[in-house]
Short mmCIF file of all heavy atoms in Angstrom, two decimals:
data_model
loop_
_atom_site.label_atom_id
_atom_site.label_comp_id
_atom_site.label_asym_id
_atom_site.label_seq_id
_atom_site.Cartn_x
_atom_site.Cartn_y
_atom_site.Cartn_z
N ALA A 63 0.83 -1.20 0.00
CA ALA A 63 0.00 0.00 0.00
C ALA A 63 0.87 1.26 0.00
O ALA A 63 0.54 2.25 -0.65
CB ALA A 63 -0.94 -0.01 1.20
N GLN A 64 1.98 1.23 0.72
CA GLN A 64 2.92 2.36 0.71
C GLN A 64 3.44 2.60 -0.71
O GLN A 64 3.56 3.75 -1.14
CB GLN A 64 4.10 2.09 1.63
CG GLN A 64 3.79 2.12 3.09
CD GLN A 64 4.98 1.70 3.94
OE1 GLN A 64 5.94 1.10 3.46
NE2 GLN A 64 4.91 2.01 5.22
N ALA A 65 3.71 1.53 -1.44
CA ALA A 65 4.20 1.66 -2.82
C ALA A 65 3.15 2.29 -3.72
O ALA A 65 3.49 3.07 -4.62
CB ALA A 65 4.64 0.30 -3.35
N VAL A 66 1.90 1.99 -3.49
CA VAL A 66 0.82 2.62 -4.26
C VAL A 66 0.80 4.12 -3.99
O VAL A 66 0.72 4.93 -4.92
CB VAL A 66 -0.54 1.97 -3.95
CG1 VAL A 66 -1.68 2.75 -4.60
CG2 VAL A 66 -0.56 0.52 -4.40
N ILE A 67 0.90 4.50 -2.74
CA ILE A 67 0.94 5.92 -2.39
C ILE A 67 2.14 6.60 -3.05
O ILE A 67 2.04 7.71 -3.55
CB ILE A 67 0.97 6.11 -0.85
CG1 ILE A 67 -0.36 5.67 -0.25
CG2 ILE A 67 1.27 7.57 -0.50
CD1 ILE A 67 -0.36 5.62 1.27
N ALA A 68 3.27 5.93 -3.07
CA ALA A 68 4.49 6.50 -3.64
C ALA A 68 4.35 6.80 -5.13
O ALA A 68 5.07 7.65 -5.66
CB ALA A 68 5.67 5.54 -3.42
N ARG A 69 3.42 6.14 -5.81
CA ARG A 69 3.21 6.38 -7.24
C ARG A 69 2.23 7.52 -7.52
O ARG A 69 2.01 7.87 -8.67
CB ARG A 69 2.71 5.09 -7.90
CG ARG A 69 3.78 4.03 -8.00
CD ARG A 69 3.37 2.87 -8.89
NE ARG A 69 2.24 2.11 -8.38
CZ ARG A 69 2.34 1.03 -7.61
NH1 ARG A 69 3.51 0.56 -7.27
NH2 ARG A 69 1.26 0.39 -7.20
N ARG A 70 1.63 8.09 -6.48
CA ARG A 70 0.66 9.18 -6.68
C ARG A 70 1.31 10.36 -7.40
O ARG A 70 2.45 10.72 -7.12
CB ARG A 70 0.11 9.67 -5.35
CG ARG A 70 -0.94 8.79 -4.74
CD ARG A 70 -1.43 9.37 -3.44
NE ARG A 70 -2.18 10.59 -3.61
CZ ARG A 70 -3.50 10.68 -3.54
NH1 ARG A 70 -4.22 9.62 -3.28
NH2 ARG A 70 -4.11 11.84 -3.69
N ALA A 71 0.55 11.00 -8.25
CA ALA A 71 1.01 12.22 -8.92
C ALA A 71 0.98 13.37 -7.93
O ALA A 71 0.08 13.47 -7.09
CB ALA A 71 0.12 12.53 -10.11
N GLY A 72 1.99 14.22 -8.00
CA GLY A 72 2.02 15.44 -7.20
C GLY A 72 2.13 15.24 -5.71
O GLY A 72 1.58 16.03 -4.94
N LEU A 73 2.86 14.23 -5.27
CA LEU A 73 3.03 14.02 -3.83
C LEU A 73 3.69 15.22 -3.19
O LEU A 73 4.70 15.73 -3.67
CB LEU A 73 3.90 12.78 -3.57
CG LEU A 73 3.21 11.44 -3.54
CD1 LEU A 73 4.23 10.33 -3.29
CD2 LEU A 73 2.12 11.39 -2.49
N ALA A 74 3.12 15.66 -2.09
CA ALA A 74 3.65 16.82 -1.35
C ALA A 74 4.93 16.46 -0.61
O ALA A 74 5.17 15.28 -0.29
CB ALA A 74 2.60 17.32 -0.37
N ALA A 75 5.72 17.46 -0.31
CA ALA A 75 7.00 17.25 0.39
C ALA A 75 6.80 16.57 1.75
O ALA A 75 7.63 15.77 2.17
CB ALA A 75 7.73 18.58 0.56
N SER A 76 5.72 16.88 2.44
CA SER A 76 5.48 16.25 3.75
C SER A 76 5.29 14.75 3.61
O SER A 76 5.76 13.97 4.45
CB SER A 76 4.27 16.88 4.44
OG SER A 76 3.11 16.72 3.65
N VAL A 77 4.64 14.33 2.54
CA VAL A 77 4.41 12.90 2.32
C VAL A 77 5.72 12.21 1.92
O VAL A 77 6.05 11.14 2.43
CB VAL A 77 3.33 12.66 1.24
CG1 VAL A 77 3.09 11.18 1.02
CG2 VAL A 77 2.04 13.37 1.61
N THR A 78 6.49 12.84 1.04
CA THR A 78 7.74 12.22 0.62
C THR A 78 8.74 12.17 1.77
O THR A 78 9.52 11.22 1.85
CB THR A 78 8.35 12.94 -0.61
OG1 THR A 78 8.67 14.29 -0.27
CG2 THR A 78 7.40 12.90 -1.79
N ALA A 79 8.69 13.15 2.65
CA ALA A 79 9.57 13.12 3.83
C ALA A 79 9.21 11.94 4.73
O ALA A 79 10.09 11.22 5.22
CB ALA A 79 9.47 14.44 4.59
N ALA A 80 7.91 11.75 4.94
CA ALA A 80 7.47 10.62 5.77
C ALA A 80 7.85 9.30 5.11
O ALA A 80 8.31 8.37 5.79
CB ALA A 80 5.96 10.69 5.99
N MET A 81 7.67 9.22 3.81
CA MET A 81 8.01 7.98 3.11
C MET A 81 9.51 7.70 3.18
O MET A 81 9.92 6.57 3.39
CB MET A 81 7.56 8.06 1.66
CG MET A 81 6.08 8.12 1.51
SD MET A 81 5.53 7.68 -0.11
CE MET A 81 5.48 5.92 0.08
N SER A 82 10.32 8.72 3.00
CA SER A 82 11.77 8.50 3.03
C SER A 82 12.23 8.02 4.40
O SER A 82 13.21 7.30 4.50
CB SER A 82 12.51 9.77 2.61
OG SER A 82 12.35 10.78 3.58
N ALA A 83 11.51 8.40 5.44
CA ALA A 83 11.90 8.02 6.80
C ALA A 83 11.26 6.71 7.26
O ALA A 83 11.87 5.99 8.06
CB ALA A 83 11.52 9.13 7.77
N LEU A 84 10.05 6.39 6.78
CA LEU A 84 9.30 5.29 7.35
C LEU A 84 8.98 4.15 6.40
O LEU A 84 8.77 3.02 6.86
CB LEU A 84 7.97 5.81 7.91
CG LEU A 84 8.03 6.90 8.96
CD1 LEU A 84 6.65 7.45 9.24
CD2 LEU A 84 8.66 6.36 10.23
N ALA A 85 8.89 4.42 5.13
CA ALA A 85 8.36 3.43 4.19
C ALA A 85 9.33 2.28 3.95
O ALA A 85 10.55 2.41 4.12
CB ALA A 85 8.00 4.10 2.87
N ALA A 86 8.77 1.18 3.53
CA ALA A 86 9.55 0.00 3.19
C ALA A 86 10.34 0.24 1.90
O ALA A 86 10.05 1.17 1.13
CB ALA A 86 8.61 -1.19 3.00
N ARG A 87 11.32 -0.60 1.68
CA ARG A 87 12.22 -0.49 0.52
C ARG A 87 11.44 -0.37 -0.79
O ARG A 87 11.75 0.49 -1.62
CB ARG A 87 13.14 -1.71 0.48
CG ARG A 87 14.00 -1.78 -0.76
CD ARG A 87 14.67 -3.17 -0.88
NE ARG A 87 15.39 -3.27 -2.12
CZ ARG A 87 14.84 -3.71 -3.26
NH1 ARG A 87 13.57 -4.05 -3.31
NH2 ARG A 87 15.57 -3.78 -4.36
N GLU A 88 10.45 -1.21 -0.99
CA GLU A 88 9.68 -1.21 -2.24
C GLU A 88 9.01 0.14 -2.47
O GLU A 88 8.98 0.64 -3.60
CB GLU A 88 8.61 -2.31 -2.22
CG GLU A 88 9.16 -3.71 -2.10
CD GLU A 88 9.48 -4.11 -0.66
OE1 GLU A 88 9.11 -3.39 0.30
OE2 GLU A 88 10.14 -5.14 -0.48
N ALA A 89 8.48 0.72 -1.41
CA ALA A 89 7.81 2.02 -1.52
C ALA A 89 8.81 3.13 -1.80
O ALA A 89 8.54 4.04 -2.58
CB ALA A 89 7.03 2.31 -0.25
N VAL A 90 9.98 3.06 -1.19
CA VAL A 90 11.00 4.08 -1.43
C VAL A 90 11.50 4.00 -2.87
O VAL A 90 11.75 5.03 -3.50
CB VAL A 90 12.15 3.95 -0.40
CG1 VAL A 90 13.30 4.89 -0.74
CG2 VAL A 90 11.63 4.24 1.00
N ILE A 91 11.61 2.81 -3.40
CA ILE A 91 12.00 2.66 -4.81
C ILE A 91 10.94 3.30 -5.72
O ILE A 91 11.27 4.03 -6.65
CB ILE A 91 12.24 1.18 -5.16
CG1 ILE A 91 13.56 0.74 -4.55
CG2 ILE A 91 12.24 0.96 -6.67
CD1 ILE A 91 13.87 -0.73 -4.71
N GLU A 92 9.68 3.05 -5.43
CA GLU A 92 8.61 3.67 -6.22
C GLU A 92 8.64 5.19 -6.09
O GLU A 92 8.43 5.91 -7.06
CB GLU A 92 7.24 3.14 -5.82
CG GLU A 92 7.00 1.71 -6.20
CD GLU A 92 7.05 1.48 -7.71
OE1 GLU A 92 6.67 2.37 -8.48
OE2 GLU A 92 7.49 0.38 -8.10
N LEU A 93 8.90 5.68 -4.89
CA LEU A 93 9.01 7.12 -4.69
C LEU A 93 10.16 7.70 -5.50
O LEU A 93 10.01 8.74 -6.14
CB LEU A 93 9.21 7.42 -3.20
CG LEU A 93 9.40 8.89 -2.83
CD1 LEU A 93 8.19 9.72 -3.23
CD2 LEU A 93 9.69 9.01 -1.34
N ALA A 94 11.29 7.03 -5.50
CA ALA A 94 12.45 7.51 -6.26
C ALA A 94 12.15 7.54 -7.76
O ALA A 94 12.69 8.38 -8.49
CB ALA A 94 13.66 6.64 -5.98
N ARG A 95 11.30 6.66 -8.23
CA ARG A 95 10.91 6.63 -9.65
C ARG A 95 9.88 7.70 -10.00
O ARG A 95 9.70 8.02 -11.17
CB ARG A 95 10.32 5.27 -10.00
CG ARG A 95 11.32 4.18 -10.08
CD ARG A 95 10.65 2.88 -10.48
NE ARG A 95 11.64 1.83 -10.62
CZ ARG A 95 11.45 0.58 -10.26
NH1 ARG A 95 10.29 0.19 -9.77
NH2 ARG A 95 12.41 -0.31 -10.42
N ASN A 96 9.19 8.23 -9.01
CA ASN A 96 8.11 9.19 -9.23
C ASN A 96 8.67 10.57 -9.51
O ASN A 96 9.04 11.31 -8.61
CB ASN A 96 7.18 9.22 -8.02
CG ASN A 96 5.96 10.08 -8.23
OD1 ASN A 96 5.89 10.88 -9.16
ND2 ASN A 96 4.99 9.93 -7.35
N GLU A 97 8.74 10.92 -10.77
CA GLU A 97 9.30 12.22 -11.20
C GLU A 97 8.40 13.39 -10.82
O GLU A 97 8.83 14.54 -10.83
CB GLU A 97 9.54 12.22 -12.71
CG GLU A 97 10.57 11.22 -13.18
CD GLU A 97 11.98 11.59 -12.78
OE1 GLU A 97 12.25 12.80 -12.61
OE2 GLU A 97 12.80 10.69 -12.61
N ASP A 98 7.14 13.11 -10.48
CA ASP A 98 6.18 14.17 -10.16
C ASP A 98 6.11 14.47 -8.66
O ASP A 98 5.42 15.37 -8.25
CB ASP A 98 4.80 13.75 -10.69
CG ASP A 98 3.83 14.91 -10.75
OD1 ASP A 98 4.24 16.01 -11.16
OD2 ASP A 98 2.67 14.70 -10.37
N ALA A 99 6.82 13.70 -7.86
CA ALA A 99 6.81 13.90 -6.41
C ALA A 99 7.74 15.03 -6.02
O ALA A 99 8.81 15.21 -6.60
CB ALA A 99 7.23 12.62 -5.71
N GLU A 100 7.33 15.80 -5.02
CA GLU A 100 8.16 16.88 -4.50
C GLU A 100 9.08 16.30 -3.41
O GLU A 100 8.65 16.09 -2.27
CB GLU A 100 7.29 17.99 -3.91
CG GLU A 100 8.07 19.16 -3.39
CD GLU A 100 7.19 20.22 -2.75
OE1 GLU A 100 5.96 20.08 -2.76
OE2 GLU A 100 7.76 21.19 -2.22
N ILE A 101 10.32 16.03 -3.78
CA ILE A 101 11.26 15.43 -2.85
C ILE A 101 12.33 16.46 -2.50
O ILE A 101 13.08 16.89 -3.37
CB ILE A 101 11.92 14.16 -3.46
CG1 ILE A 101 10.84 13.17 -3.90
CG2 ILE A 101 12.86 13.52 -2.43
CD1 ILE A 101 11.39 11.95 -4.61
N LEU A 102 12.35 16.84 -1.25
CA LEU A 102 13.33 17.83 -0.77
C LEU A 102 14.69 17.16 -0.58
O LEU A 102 14.77 15.94 -0.40
CB LEU A 102 12.85 18.44 0.54
CG LEU A 102 11.53 19.22 0.47
CD1 LEU A 102 11.14 19.70 1.86
CD2 LEU A 102 11.62 20.37 -0.49
N PRO A 103 15.76 17.95 -0.57
CA PRO A 103 17.09 17.37 -0.34
C PRO A 103 17.18 16.53 0.93
O PRO A 103 17.83 15.48 0.95
CB PRO A 103 18.00 18.60 -0.28
CG PRO A 103 17.32 19.61 -1.14
CD PRO A 103 15.84 19.38 -0.90
N SER A 104 16.51 16.96 1.99
CA SER A 104 16.56 16.19 3.24
C SER A 104 15.92 14.81 3.08
O SER A 104 16.38 13.83 3.68
CB SER A 104 15.86 16.96 4.37
OG SER A 104 14.51 17.25 4.01
N ALA A 105 14.89 14.70 2.25
CA ALA A 105 14.25 13.40 2.01
C ALA A 105 15.17 12.51 1.17
O ALA A 105 15.27 11.31 1.43
CB ALA A 105 12.90 13.59 1.33
#
């Protein structure tokens, strides 16, 4: 389910920050592939 969220279009920085800190490996990989997500340097 985390991986599904990671594929959402236009993910906000607060969501990507939470994912980078808490999500499982599979979800983080999906997040890294999501070019539309707002990922801050800290994430």
Side-chain angles (χ1 to χ4, degrees):
Q64 289 174 343
V66 172
I67 292 171
R69 290 191 295 267
R70 282 180 68 103
L73 275 179
S76 60
V77 180
T78 63
M81 294 199 85
S82 68
L84 302 171
R87 173 192 175 271
E88 299 82 11
V90 173
I91 286 175
E92 290 299 327
L93 177 61
R95 287 182 177 142
N96 186 346
E97 296 289 333
D98 195 42
E100 182 183 357
I101 305 175
L102 298 177
S104 57

